[in-house]
Amino acid sequence: MTDSLSLHEARKLVLLSQRVPPAKTPGPATAATLAAIEHLGYIQIDTISVIQRAHHHTLWNRNPRYQPSQLDQLIHDKQVFEYWSHAAACLPMRDYRFSLPRKEAFASGVEEHWFDRDEKLETRVLKRISEEGPLMAKDFECRGKRTGEWKTKPTKRALENLWMQGDLMSARRVNFHKVYDLTERVLPEGTNTTVPTPEEQARFLIARYLQANGLGRPAEVAYLRKGAKPLIADTMQEMTSSGELRLIRVGEENYHVLPGSLELLKKPLSRRKLKILSPFDNLVIQRKRMQALFGFDYLIECYLPAAKRRYGYFTLPILWDGRLAARMDCKAERKESRLHILHLALEPGVVQTDAFFQALCRELESFLTFNQCSRLRLHRTSPDQLLPGLQAAIKNSELLES
């Protein structure tokens, strides 16, 4: 017999599993950041910097004491490493061995590299790093034609191929550029480097996903992992038969959960605390899932021509009252210490606008600080008539500019 959860309960389980809004965490702030990365399993890295970059933004939403230097410290201390999850990500070092199947697939040619291979150049690149120590792409002369969408130079392509197949790792970043070193010099002593079997890998992905997301389906666990869905689906069925997973019905859909996760439903959810999310936050990265569970139809529009954008270049989902209640297009002018709210759009059904505005204003104070800003400028709201109410809600904060 399949148990069922209401949509309200399912959303609560997802949010409590995602630890957003966050609960207070004791101990050092950097330890709380590591705990967030280990719990979520990955933090997506992205280059867009109109506000604080996605990896910092996601961690700040799980740890209010977060500072970008903490992630640098965790990488320096070899507790976190960079590699590919469904996208470029920071991953817990304790999970290193589960990055090996993808690396082996690239090294063996089972999976094609993104860039055409120049094995002679790769050998020269490896030799230099072996002899000279960690190097950046800029440390190599640019010989040969830059290719691809990003006009990548040949040595950068070689470095990335070696990184993807596991010969190199990123020792750190300087001005957001990778510093490459030999893998054996980056890995902490005693790291488990045994390659998991396909069954081990599937079980790992399932457990990690459900721990961080509360409930899930095979397609969600296998998100952007080429060819992984059949084995994950079979493994989830086996784990359900053995009692390691439970099948839960939400509306017309079946989901799997870890049995212990249902205990989270006994905990309270801070519904009045508002969080401004990154478009690449773990909670919202799977858009179809958010549509199914939260009724939130979301598209990041920075990849669209300006004329086709409905909400704005970089709209941020806003979590409030246990739902995704709005989206906000922002831009930080850090030199002027000014944050622009270019467009705030409420979702249909949000009727307690005064309570929403109060929660938003409270969060904006810390959000401005996080983005190195001290002043706020409002431009547009949807519906239009919301603008005076929002202006009134923050007029005493001394943040709003006319």
Side-chain angles (χ1 to χ4, degrees):
M1 180 178 176
T2 302
D3 294 325
S4 64
L5 293 179
S6 68
L7 191 58
H8 178 85
E9 290 172 320
R11 290 176 177 177
K12 180 179 179 181
L13 179 59
V14 169
L15 296 176
L16 289 172
S17 298
Q18 275 285 303
R19 297 182 178 177
V20 61
K24 290 183 179 179
T25 52
T30 301
T33 296
L34 177 60
I37 297 170
E38 290 183 337
H39 175 75
L40 294 174
Y42 77 91
I43 299 293
Q44 184 171 336
I45 299 170
D46 195 74
T47 59
I48 295 173
S49 59
V50 291
I51 62 162
Q52 186 62 270
R53 286 190 171 99
H55 41 293
H56 298 310
H57 190 173
T58 299
L59 287 169
W60 177 74
N61 270 325
R62 302 317 190 281
N63 175 17
R65 296 178 291 155
Y66 176 77
Q67 296 291 329
S69 60
Q70 294 169 15
L71 186 57
D72 295 335
Q73 187 64 48
L74 290 171
I75 292 172
H76 176 270
D77 293 344
K78 302 184 177 183
Q79 293 179 291
V80 169
F81 72 103
E82 284 191 32
Y83 194 58
W84 202 258
S85 178
H86 70 275
C90 291
L91 302 157
M93 189 65 78
R94 71 177 189 184
D95 295 341
Y96 174 78
R97 67 185 291 252
F98 295 101
S99 71
L100 295 176
R102 186 187 290 268
K103 292 175 179 177
E104 281 204 337
F106 280 114
S108 65
V110 170
E111 190 164 342
E112 287 188 8
H113 277 288
W114 300 328
F115 302 115
D116 292 337
R117 298 202 61 185
D118 183 337
E119 294 188 22
K120 289 183 179 179
L121 178 58
E122 289 175 12
T123 299
R124 292 199 300 271
V125 165
L126 269 178
K127 186 173 186 294
R128 272 199 64 188
I129 292 176
S130 177
E131 293 174 351
E132 299 178 30
L135 295 173
M136 300 169 66
K138 71 180 184 64
D139 296 319
F140 294 86
E141 291 183 23
C142 180
R143 295 178 181 175
K145 185 178 180 182
R146 293 175 178 257
T147 60
E149 181 182 359
W150 305 106
K151 302 300 180 185
T152 312
K153 66 182 184 180
T155 48
K156 175 63 175 178
R157 299 197 296 270
L159 286 163
E160 283 296 289
N161 284 345
L162 291 165
W163 180 74
M164 284 301 296
Q165 70 184 35
D167 295 292
L168 298 177
M169 291 181 72
S170 175
R172 61 186 182 279
R173 282 184 181 250
V174 176
N175 296 325
F176 205 60
H177 297 288
K178 287 194 190 92
V179 179
Y180 299 88
D181 200 0
L182 300 180
T183 291
E184 57 263 34
R185 294 201 293 233
V186 175
L187 283 182
E189 187 176 350
T191 300
N192 187 345
T193 58
T194 58
V195 181
T197 66
E199 292 75 18
E200 280 184 289
Q201 185 78 358
R203 282 177 165 269
F204 167 79
L205 293 173
I206 292 163
R208 273 286 183 271
Y209 184 87
L210 295 180
Q211 169 189 277
N213 293 279
L215 48 81
R217 296 181 284 190
E220 295 166 354
V221 178
Y223 178 64
L224 295 184
R225 295 179 183 274
K226 187 178 179 180
K229 183 181 174 182
L231 179 56
I232 285 174
D234 289 344
T235 305
M236 291 179 83
Q237 187 173 359
E238 291 172 9
M239 293 174 72
T240 303
S241 297
S242 67
E244 297 169 86
L245 299 181
R246 286 177 61 179
L247 198 60
I248 297 291
R249 188 87 168 164
V250 180
E252 298 300 315
E253 299 293 338
N254 286 331
Y255 291 85
H256 291 83
V257 300
L258 295 168
S261 295
L262 296 176
E263 292 296 309
L264 287 173
L265 292 173
K266 298 177 182 178
K267 295 185 176 182
L269 176 68
S270 178
R271 294 185 174 276
R272 290 302 168 182
K273 186 167 179 58
L274 180 146
K275 296 306 293 183
I276 302 164
L277 304 176
S278 165
F280 303 104
D281 191 284
N282 300 50
L283 175 65
V284 299
I285 193 61
Q286 294 196 36
R287 314 305 192 202
K288 290 182 180 179
R289 174 180 166 89
M290 286 301 98
Q291 174 73 54
L293 290 173
F294 286 82
F296 190 68
D297 187 9
Y298 178 69
L299 173 70
I300 184 170
E301 297 179 341
C302 56
Y303 306 115
L304 295 177
K308 293 186 176 182
R309 293 175 195 149
R310 179 181 177 186
Y311 295 107
Y313 176 82
F314 201 64
T315 54
L316 313 176
I318 295 179
L319 175 68
W320 178 71
D321 196 26
R323 61 175 294 186
L324 292 163
R327 63 195 83 199
M328 183 169 70
D329 185 32
C330 291
K331 181 179 180 179
E333 289 184 330
R334 296 175 182 89
K335 289 184 180 179
E336 290 77 21
S337 191
R338 182 185 296 112
L339 181 77
H340 293 269
I341 296 180
L342 302 172
H343 186 194
L344 173 70
L346 260 62
E347 289 294 287
V350 177
V351 295
Q352 295 177 303
T353 54
D354 288 346
F356 173 82
F357 289 156
Q358 290 172 13
L360 177 61
C361 293
R362 287 193 295 270
E363 186 65 7
L364 279 171
E365 291 188 29
S366 54
F367 188 69
L368 263 66
T369 301
F370 177 62
N371 283 282
Q372 297 91 53
C373 295
S374 60
R375 294 177 292 169
L376 180 67
R377 181 171 293 178
L378 294 173
H379 293 260
R380 176 186 168 206
T381 63
S382 292
D384 294 338
Q385 59 265 33
L386 294 175
L387 185 60
L390 181 54
Q391 289 173 324
I394 62 174
K395 68 179 181 180
N396 295 323
S397 66
E398 299 183 356
L399 298 175
L400 183 62
E401 292 185 339
S402 59

